[in-house]
Amino acid sequence: MNGRLIAPGQARAPALVLEEPLSLWGGLDPATGRVIELRHPQHGATVSGRVLVLPAARGSSSSASVLAEAVRAGTAPAAIVLGEPDLILALGAAVADELYGVQIPILVLPADDLAAIRDGATVDIGSEGVSAV
Amino acid sequence: MRLVVRAADVLQAERLIPIRAAHVDSCLYHGQATLDFVDRMVDGGAAVRVPTTLNVGAVDLLHPELWRGDPDLAERGRLLMERYRALGCRPTYTCAPYQLAESRPGPGDQVAWGESNAIVFANSVLGARTNRYGDFLDIAAAVVGLVPDAGLHRTEERRAQLVIRLGEDVPPALMDDDGLYPVLGIVVGRVAGGRVAALDGLPPGVSEDRLKALGAAAASSGAVALLHVIGSTPEAPTLAAALQDADPDEERTVDMATLRAVRAELGGDGEGRIVAVSLGTPHASAAELTRIAELLDGERVADEVELLISTARDTLAQVEASAVAERLRLAGAELLVDTCSYIAPILRAPHGPVMTDSGKWAYYAPGNIGAQVVLGSLAECVASAVAGHVVRDATWGTA
């Protein structure tokens, strides 16, 4: 697969595939790393240490802070894979890198490649590219 | 500057352009990381280069006694709000800076605004140009006075890609009711996602307060940053203008069945006892506060109901000068500024049922504060606050 990294870094972790877009603000509790949006199909799932795969981010512009706080609290996903670029999450990752020296790579994949990633598959985002097994 | 350049890279922009103003959302406490960030800016001697307003924070600095949560959290929230003043930002603390005469950008003005409802309002209703600036980038742009030349800053990117039409079965009486707009907004957000959409079929000249409710809801359920409302918003005098004379990529129709289903999902069918009514999300305008006072018409809110109205401190000062604030307080309403009742522990009984007129409140409050929500029009909300239970008018019918 070939994608575009909008936040740099490397990660190898099991995928958590979200069926619908998520706003991290109002949708993710940075204290626990859980999806708290009640209407979301993956409500209650824990994103910590997973490669979070979702079609798109959406909603509030406060999601950048939530991502940075999740990094500080140690509950952040290992990486994020999106179907479309999201500036807000990219900035959250950039600030987390500046403040805490932790990189959360954010990868944008074409829809077909994104859909091919199954929940629980090991996703490897490395210098050589991306693979999902 | 590094953050602004990173943003330019993400957006694949070729250059940076100057902005006239900024609205900063970063002053709402989301944990230690938000304090760590502003400390880094203040310690580095940063200051804003353009007039900069501040979004809501975690606490009502003018009425701190309304806070019912952990005092340590309130202190951190307060500290963050104050730290942004040290960067030269104006302490407006409102999610509706467009309601303050001195911070309303004009058509074509390049700005960097945060806060999803403010972004969609600036682009759609004012014709100003901003992308969806998130936390950190909003203040970074204010400090350098520059943003990437990309997205909605560029004329061609403001073309409606999608046309959303109101179905022929949507009655004109409903279009003339406040209760339609939050529900329609949630539908529009879901259909549009992150695309620029044109909404066709509403009567021309929809009021600013209704456009505010529509946009805020659309920006909650979708990443909507620009919504052309044909006949009401400045870049959409006609559908062809909103489409920039091109063909839309997609056309969708929203019928009554969809509107009813979404309304029900948001608690629009809720009945019975309520413990609170929350109004003013986004912050109530002076016109809305006046209307609430008129709807109360000298009646008092029921003893067991808390009526909470969120507004901007500047708007409160404005209505203090008239008799409106006093009329609201005499009726038993509580006026909250600088923050909002779904991000701060303010409500006496947050689990509800809480009635609101806001699609955005109805969308986020269940997850944020665990509220059971009942959605109604402004008139239904006020009548219900007085009655102590949900009062419905006939606008949506019974079907």
Side-chain angles (χ1 to χ4, degrees):
Chain A
M1 297 180 196
N2 270 312
R4 179 161 84 95
L5 274 176
I6 58 171
Q10 300 186 10
R12 182 183 159 82
L16 174 67
V17 177
L18 302 189
E19 292 159 39
E20 287 183 14
L22 180 73
S23 166
L24 295 197
W25 181 82
L28 179 75
D29 177 5
T32 62
R34 279 177 191 273
V35 174
I36 53 169
E37 188 186 307
L38 294 173
R39 290 185 193 84
H40 200 280
Q42 274 74 42
H43 173 249
T46 300
V47 306
S48 313
R50 308 283 292 266
V51 173
L52 185 64
V53 180
L54 68 170
R58 60 157 178 74
S60 172
S61 47
S62 296
S63 295
S65 287
V66 176
L67 181 58
E69 176 61 13
V71 170
R72 193 198 64 81
T75 63
I80 299 173
V81 181
L82 295 166
E84 52 190 58
D86 188 84
L87 180 57
I88 286 170
L89 293 187
L91 263 292
V95 167
D97 192 359
E98 292 265 344
L99 292 178
Y100 309 117
V102 175
Q103 290 192 326
I104 307 291
I106 302 180
L107 180 75
V108 181
L109 283 182
D112 290 354
D113 288 346
L114 190 86
I117 302 176
R118 272 193 291 278
D119 194 68
T122 299
V123 178
D124 193 336
I125 300 172
S127 50
E128 313 282 291
V130 188
S131 67
V133 181
Chain B
M1 191 69 182
R2 272 204 298 277
L3 290 178
V4 175
V5 171
R6 168 70 73 87
D9 186 42
V10 172
L11 297 168
Q12 299 176 316
E14 289 178 2
R15 57 182 193 134
L16 302 177
I17 55 169
I19 49 168
R20 296 176 66 120
H23 179 66
V24 165
D25 188 26
S26 303
C27 57
L28 176 58
Y29 185 77
H30 292 294
Q32 183 60 38
T34 49
L35 271 173
D36 290 347
F37 176 77
V38 76
D39 282 347
R40 179 79 65 95
M41 299 279 271
V42 172
D43 294 347
V48 297
R49 261 186 216 203
V50 296
T52 301
T53 46
L54 287 175
N55 201 43
V56 291
V59 291
D60 180 341
L61 298 176
L62 303 184
H63 314 98
E65 70 281 1
L66 295 176
W67 178 274
R68 293 173 189 274
D70 174 4
D72 179 56
L73 193 60
E75 178 54 21
R76 289 160 167 269
R78 185 194 66 76
L79 194 60
L80 186 72
M81 293 167 80
E82 295 290 347
R83 292 293 265 168
Y84 274 91
R85 294 183 71 169
L87 294 173
C89 303
R90 281 187 54 215
T92 48
Y93 303 126
T94 180
C95 55
Y98 45 82
Q99 290 172 175
L100 310 178
E102 65 282 10
S103 45
R104 269 170 84 95
D109 284 352
Q110 303 286 1
V111 298
W113 275 27
E115 165 54 43
S116 64
N117 103 83
I119 293 163
V120 71
F121 195 98
N123 276 316
S124 313
V125 183
L126 302 180
R129 298 183 171 203
T130 181
N131 281 320
R132 293 172 65 225
Y133 288 96
D135 286 3
F136 313 128
L137 181 58
D138 48 17
I139 187 65
V143 166
V144 298
L146 298 166
V147 293
D149 180 20
L152 298 177
H153 291 292
R154 300 173 63 86
T155 301
E156 67 275 16
E157 302 279 338
R158 300 174 68 83
R159 175 184 79 87
Q161 300 155 269
L162 164 75
V163 176
I164 301 173
R165 287 202 169 82
L166 273 185
E168 286 176 8
D169 60 344
V170 179
L174 188 57
M175 296 185 204
D176 196 31
D177 188 85
D178 295 329
L180 171 67
Y181 294 85
V183 175
L184 180 57
I186 296 290
V187 175
V188 165
R190 287 198 182 145
V191 173
R195 292 179 291 179
V196 177
L199 179 61
D200 199 10
L202 286 169
V206 175
S207 75
E208 271 202 8
D209 287 329
R210 286 177 177 174
L211 293 172
K212 172 177 79 166
L214 175 75
S220 300
S221 61
V224 175
L226 170 55
L227 173 65
H228 297 292
V229 181
I230 307 305
S232 293
T233 59
E235 288 162 73
T238 62
L239 181 58
L243 290 166
Q244 296 182 7
D245 297 316
D247 290 327
D249 306 344
E250 192 186 344
E251 300 188 51
R252 297 276 287 269
T253 299
V254 177
D255 60 12
M256 276 307 285
T258 304
L259 290 170
R260 280 186 201 286
V262 170
R263 175 174 175 262
E265 199 186 315
L266 297 168
D269 287 343
E271 296 292 346
R273 192 184 64 96
I274 49 169
V275 297
V277 173
S278 180
L279 305 173
T281 303
H283 277 170
S285 65
E288 286 172 319
L289 293 173
T290 305
R291 173 122 192 276
I292 296 165
E294 285 166 3
L295 287 165
L296 281 162
D297 192 26
E299 300 231 48
R300 268 196 68 83
V301 173
D303 288 342
E304 63 279 16
V305 175
E306 180 180 20
L307 172 58
L308 193 70
I309 309 168
S310 306
T311 189
R313 53 167 65 194
D314 291 3
T315 307
L316 179 61
Q318 212 178 317
V319 298
E320 295 280 15
S322 69
V324 168
E326 200 190 342
R327 281 167 68 194
L328 292 170
R329 290 202 186 97
L330 281 173
E334 191 115 63
L335 290 159
L336 180 73
V337 301
D338 297 349
T339 187
C340 186
S341 57
Y342 70 127
I343 55 178
I346 300 289
L347 288 166
R348 284 200 301 255
H351 298 300
V354 184
M355 193 166 184
T356 183
D357 66 334
S358 165
K360 181 169 184 172
W361 207 93
Y363 198 83
Y364 285 121
N368 277 13
I369 60 169
Q372 184 196 331
V373 178
V374 177
L375 183 73
S377 68
L378 186 63
E380 288 175 335
C381 285
V382 173
S384 303
V386 170
H389 57 83
V390 176
V391 177
R392 296 285 182 196
D393 57 35
T395 315
W396 286 86
T398 49

